[in-house]
Amino acid sequence: DSGVTQTPKHLITATGQRVTLRCSPRSGDLSVYWYQQSLDQGLQFLIQYYNGEERAKGNILERFSAQQFPDLHSELNLSSLELGDSALYFCASSVGTPNTQYFGPGTRLTVL
Amino acid sequence: KNEVEQSPQNLTAQEGEFITINCSYSVGISALHWLQQHPGGGIVSLFMLSSGKKKHGRLIATINIQEKHSSLHITASHPRDSAVYICAVSWVSGGGADGLTFGKGTHLIIQP
């Protein structure tokens, strides 16, 4: 158990819908990262937050957004969902940068 | 484009064999990570390296900064080592941005 929690574990929804994925980092970790893993693209970095502030953006689509709250949990919002958004979404956290990143169990999103 | 290359893509070995997985990257990094992913999806961080060598149990990771190359070794391999091993790097950048760029992974199967 990494200490990083993600909810929900599974999510099935329809094209065009909007969903929110939630992540709670390990106690004391200030950095939160979101990653997407799909069969065709592999693992990709989406976005990083540090202590509530956006620190870096990767291959995040404009239809996706994220935020980190004062209690350090983070949410990833995916809107206007397409079939190609079906993937595993991982959250990771670390105490600072660069540092070991601890991964949550992931949320499996299926868009039908 | 900043890239991470891993080899081999697939590796099948007999129990007890010495395993080597290689990773090369294109430009300067702040850190290199070796990750393990089991069927079922969870990602575990094995090592984070910025120089030299680290050892944990039967696992050894090395990095050569000048050659832009890292290796992960498994000694006395066991069927429970069967997993996907992923090399990932955080590139040198300002402001503490360290979202990871991932290799495609090495699918390792250890047969009894």
Side-chain angles (χ1 to χ4, degrees), chain B residues 58-103:
Chain B
R58 295 180 295 105
L59 301 178
I60 303 165
T62 64
I63 189 168
N64 184 318
I65 297 295
Q66 286 73 32
E67 299 281 321
K68 296 187 177 58
H69 180 269
S70 175
S71 293
L72 176 68
H73 305 287
I74 306 175
T75 63
S77 60
H78 190 276
R80 65 175 174 266
D81 297 325
S82 298
V84 177
Y85 292 83
I86 304 167
C87 173
V89 302
S90 49
W91 307 107
V92 172
S93 67
D98 67 339
L100 299 179
T101 300
F102 299 85

Side-chain angles (χ1 to χ4, degrees), chain A residues 2-4 26 29 91-95 99-104, chain B residues 43 45:
Chain A
S2 67
V4 178
R26 292 188 326 149
D29 285 359
C91 167
S93 73
S94 72
V95 66
N99 219 304
T100 297
Q101 295 186 22
Y102 297 88
F103 285 76
Chain B
I43 296 175
S45 178

